[in-house]
Amino acid sequence: MAEATCRVLRDGALEGELAPALTIKDSILSPLAFHVFDYVLSQLSSFILAGKSQSRGLVIVAFARSPSYYIDLMKSSGIDGVSLDKWVRILDCYTDPLGWKHRLKENGRIGSSPDSSFGVTVFRDVRNLEKLLSGILELGKGIVGQGKDRFCIAIDSVTELLRDVPLSSVASLLSNIRCHGQVSSTFWLLHSDIHDTSTIAALEYMSSIVASVEGLTQLKNGQQGLLEQNLRKAKLRVRLKRRNGRVRLMSEEFHVEQTGITFKSISSEEESMAQTLVPKVQFNLDLSEKEQIDRSKVVLPFEHQETDKANQIYDGRRSLMESQNGMATEAEKTGVTENSSRGEIVYLRDSDDERPDSDEDPDDDLDI
């Protein structure tokens, strides 16, 4: 399931459609979304390095962790540092997100730090989203150029960005990223228990894939705090929107180890156990044999209800049986029969005072 999600991001977007977007969310009860984020990042990096991905480069927007963390993560995956500089760029929004350190350096209150390593650009005003969007796209174009080649964007924490920027501005930023013609795919991390339901719903609506990290062990009534088991393993539920409009739901269990995370499919017994925990409905849609017999005896309104005649569907006209019993039809009363070549309308005035028909409009003098 996790591999299927990575393949969707690897394949990217078709011409004229939005880039695939993945939201990885967790909560304090199971704070393992960073491990899933690292896994997706490593998988996409290997696809790009092998030339199997639509994207030819990767832009990492670091809010929650330092750029050195991601450089070490790539190197631990077996990626050479020399080749890393050719297709990876990091926008550092972690070191000085609001520019406070930079202003203190200018005033001489703190010493200057060494320049950033190659491939890392420090960004000092995350509240300026126009400049932030421009910086992200410029880093991507610096890798693939101005042609038709595409690049992938990874944002390690939208939650950090929402601390300083309203939701509407963040949604506009993410939408502009997905709409850009050179963006192959994008994914970001969200801590769902920090935000309200409207914020979570808005970000999920903008995503084509939503991956939710849930703890395998639930807290009992009256129990508070964080269970130690949920720090080592969790369940990953994925909702994938396909291009044809269909939605696919998948579940998988993963364990956190020193070498990374390993995924394991959930057994059918566990799935059936989860189904039994769902409360049953309080009504039955099936009919008993007696109910079926009673339903067959019900005469519907459009049927004749005479017991001595066969049921016939009423079509709004006089039935043939009524004419055979001597009941005159309306046509017979007026003298017009089926054999008449044409019909005739006879009009009798109620009194002699009634004006005859004329071509004059009686309302002609009204100013309408």
Side-chain angles (χ1 to χ4, degrees), residues 176-238:
N176 290 331
I177 289 176
R178 294 191 65 192
C179 293
H180 196 271
Q182 288 189 269
V183 175
S184 171
S185 60
T186 180
F187 59 101
W188 54 77
L189 189 144
L190 179 71
H191 301 302
S192 59
D193 53 344
I194 299 180
H195 309 286
D196 54 19
T197 55
S198 60
T199 301
I200 300 172
L203 295 176
E204 289 183 356
Y205 178 78
M206 298 181 61
S207 308
S208 55
I209 311 173
V210 177
S212 304
V213 178
E214 302 176 359
L216 292 177
T217 306
Q218 303 295 330
L219 293 174
K220 299 179 180 179
N221 294 333
Q223 187 176 5
Q224 298 180 355
L226 179 63
L227 296 178
E228 185 178 355
Q229 298 89 334
N230 292 337
L231 293 176
R232 299 191 303 269
K233 57 183 179 179
K235 182 183 297 183
L236 186 66
R237 295 188 181 274
V238 176

Side-chain angles (χ1 to χ4, degrees), residues 35-36 86 149 180 194 215 266 277 290 304 326 334 339 345:
H35 297 277
V36 180
K86 298 179 180 179
D149 290 336
H180 196 271
I194 299 180
I266 300 177
L277 297 179
K290 180 178 182 302
H304 290 282
T334 56
N339 297 327
I345 297 177

Side-chain angles (χ1 to χ4, degrees), residues 66-260:
S66 64
S68 59
Y69 172 86
Y70 294 106
I71 295 175
D72 295 338
L73 178 66
M74 299 289 184
K75 292 181 179 180
S76 63
S77 301
I79 301 176
D80 185 16
V82 177
S83 63
L84 190 66
D85 295 334
K86 298 179 180 179
W87 54 272
V88 175
R89 296 291 182 272
I90 301 177
L91 188 63
D92 183 9
C93 300
Y94 172 83
T95 303
D96 194 11
L98 300 178
W100 293 349
K101 295 181 180 179
H102 180 68
R103 289 193 291 269
L104 291 175
K105 292 176 185 177
E106 291 180 343
N107 297 331
R109 297 186 179 181
I110 61 175
S112 60
S113 58
D115 296 335
S116 300
S117 60
F118 180 76
V120 178
T121 302
V122 179
F123 192 81
R124 294 187 175 90
D125 190 5
V126 297
R127 292 171 295 187
N128 189 347
L129 293 189
E130 292 184 4
K131 187 177 179 181
L132 178 61
L133 175 63
S134 177
I136 296 173
L137 298 179
E138 288 300 324
L139 288 180
K141 293 177 182 179
I143 303 173
V144 301
Q146 300 288 340
K148 294 184 178 180
D149 290 336
R150 296 174 179 252
F151 56 91
C152 178
I153 298 175
I155 305 174
D156 68 353
S157 181
V158 174
T159 297
E160 298 290 335
L161 182 59
L162 286 170
R163 293 188 310 177
D164 305 304
V165 183
L167 173 63
S168 58
S169 300
V170 175
S172 178
L173 171 69
L174 299 178
S175 178
N176 290 331
I177 289 176
R178 294 191 65 192
C179 293
H180 196 271
Q182 288 189 269
V183 175
S184 171
S185 60
T186 180
F187 59 101
W188 54 77
L189 189 144
L190 179 71
H191 301 302
S192 59
D193 53 344
I194 299 180
H195 309 286
D196 54 19
T197 55
S198 60
T199 301
I200 300 172
L203 295 176
E204 289 183 356
Y205 178 78
M206 298 181 61
S207 308
S208 55
I209 311 173
V210 177
S212 304
V213 178
E214 302 176 359
L216 292 177
T217 306
Q218 303 295 330
L219 293 174
K220 299 179 180 179
N221 294 333
Q223 187 176 5
Q224 298 180 355
L226 179 63
L227 296 178
E228 185 178 355
Q229 298 89 334
N230 292 337
L231 293 176
R232 299 191 303 269
K233 57 183 179 179
K235 182 183 297 183
L236 186 66
R237 295 188 181 274
V238 176
R239 186 177 76 245
L240 171 62
K241 303 176 188 176
R242 296 186 176 274
R243 289 189 175 97
N244 57 8
R246 294 183 178 180
V247 177
R248 182 183 178 188
L249 301 177
M250 301 173 288
S251 299
E252 198 169 19
E253 181 181 327
F254 68 91
H255 296 258
V256 178
E257 301 174 354
Q258 292 182 352
T259 57

